[in-house]
Amino acid sequence: MSITFSSLVLSQPIVNIENLRHSGEVGEFKSAGLSLNGSRGNEDRDDFKLNLAFTKNTENIESLITVSHSERTKDDVLEDKSSFFHSRLLFKSDKKYDFELYVQSSKNPFQSYKKRDLIGFGARFDISKESKIGLSLLHENEESLQGINKETDRVNLYLYKRVELANSNFLSASLFYQPSLQDFGSDYKVSALMSLNIPISEKILVEIQVSTALDNDPPDISKKSNHSFSTNFRYSF
């Protein structure tokens, strides 16, 4: 089990699913993450984010459930709150690829949409222990802050790479590309996450993360791009 504390957060970073799933390992894995940020002066602001994750892997199936909740307050008044739920099942095979099914639901006014639900299925390819590729189809149902609903079928291309560094440090990078099946050229989403992971001891890991997200056809008043960075301290026990 691990507990993660974060600091220096701007916006809402992309959830690092790959670090939560413990792919290739057998057993149960639990984690809790907490991010606390605040400022005092002209404005009193307090932000927090709580994340819980549960992974159960067997020889044949890998499963993951993770939930997050975030709130922003100003002068002791709640400004906004967001939530995130993600669950997936991976069915292992004796080939270079496995099949997986996933569902996700999020409410995030921080990124200018009220709700986004999706369900998808596809294949995950193990290029090597350090490199993964995922290819799937997903159905997305999105509601904007102004109440406009949009349903879209998308291709989901996922790339993951881990690079080992000196002294047990490692760099990990994830990239998602999600074009619409109806309009590849102008309706697409791209998100990327890069993390520098620095083990301080067997139980303490420092993660420095930078993420960016692009929606080329965003809901009503939102901007096309969103960026964030965070420093996380993970304690495992």
Side-chain angles (χ1 to χ4, degrees), residues 21 61-64 87-91 99-102:
R21 63 192 299 167
I61 297 176
E62 295 182 355
S63 60
L64 165 68
S87 178
R88 67 173 56 219
L89 286 173
L90 182 139
F91 303 93
F99 295 102
E100 62 180 355
L101 170 70
Y102 55 88

Side-chain angles (χ1 to χ4, degrees), residues 2 4 15-23 29 31 51-57 63-67 84 234:
S2 65
T4 304
V15 176
N16 196 337
I17 297 296
E18 196 64 38
N19 282 2
L20 298 176
R21 63 192 299 167
H22 294 274
S23 184
F29 308 91
S31 65
N51 171 261
L52 302 173
F54 175 74
T55 300
K56 183 176 181 179
N57 295 341
S63 60
L64 165 68
I65 297 176
T66 180
V67 293
F84 176 86
R234 175 171 295 170

Side-chain angles (χ1 to χ4, degrees), residues 36-166:
L36 297 173
N37 304 277
S39 65
R40 296 295 183 269
N42 294 326
E43 294 180 344
D44 291 345
R45 288 186 174 273
D46 293 287
D47 305 337
F48 85 87
K49 178 179 180 180
L50 176 66
N51 171 261
L52 302 173
F54 175 74
T55 300
K56 183 176 181 179
N57 295 341
T58 67
E59 295 290 345
N60 300 316
I61 297 176
E62 295 182 355
S63 60
L64 165 68
I65 297 176
T66 180
V67 293
S68 299
H69 179 79
S70 303
E71 290 189 2
R72 290 180 174 181
T73 61
K74 177 182 176 182
D75 298 325
D76 296 326
V77 177
L78 178 65
E79 283 193 324
D80 271 318
K81 60 183 179 180
S82 70
S83 62
F84 176 86
F85 168 84
H86 182 95
S87 178
R88 67 173 56 219
L89 286 173
L90 182 139
F91 303 93
K92 303 173 71 174
S93 70
D94 55 1
K95 301 180 175 62
K96 277 290 187 178
Y97 59 88
D98 304 311
F99 295 102
E100 62 180 355
L101 170 70
Y102 55 88
V103 294
Q104 181 174 301
S105 179
S106 57
K107 299 178 181 179
N108 197 340
F110 305 153
Q111 294 184 358
S112 298
Y113 64 86
K114 186 175 182 180
K115 188 175 183 181
R116 184 184 184 224
D117 298 327
L118 61 86
I119 182 170
F121 67 94
R124 174 181 165 91
F125 301 85
D126 289 330
I127 306 304
S128 66
K129 185 178 180 180
E130 295 79 20
S131 302
K132 315 291 181 183
I133 295 178
L135 183 63
S136 62
L137 296 175
L138 66 86
H139 178 75
E140 172 189 76
N141 189 351
E142 188 173 78
E143 181 182 356
S144 72
L145 293 180
Q146 296 183 351
I148 300 174
N149 287 281
K150 178 183 177 183
E151 294 192 33
T152 312
D153 295 315
R154 298 184 182 277
V155 175
N156 179 36
L157 175 63
Y158 167 67
L159 305 175
Y160 172 79
K161 179 67 176 179
R162 171 172 169 151
V163 179
E164 300 292 340
L165 304 175

Side-chain angles (χ1 to χ4, degrees), residues 169-232:
N169 302 329
F170 64 95
L171 186 70
S172 61
S174 301
L175 175 67
F176 294 86
Y177 175 57
Q178 299 174 339
S180 166
L181 288 175
Q182 291 80 17
D183 191 355
F184 258 71
S186 60
D187 184 1
Y188 57 85
K189 301 177 188 286
V190 181
S191 57
L193 171 66
M194 181 169 289
S195 176
L196 175 62
N197 305 271
I198 307 172
I200 304 301
S201 67
E202 290 185 358
K203 294 187 176 182
I204 300 176
L205 177 71
V206 177
E207 300 173 312
I208 303 173
Q209 298 182 347
V210 178
S211 66
T212 184
L214 170 68
D215 186 346
N216 200 54
D217 187 20
D220 40 59
I221 60 174
S222 64
K223 297 181 179 179
K224 287 187 176 183
S225 60
N226 184 68
H227 313 282
S228 65
F229 66 89
S230 64
T231 302
N232 307 318

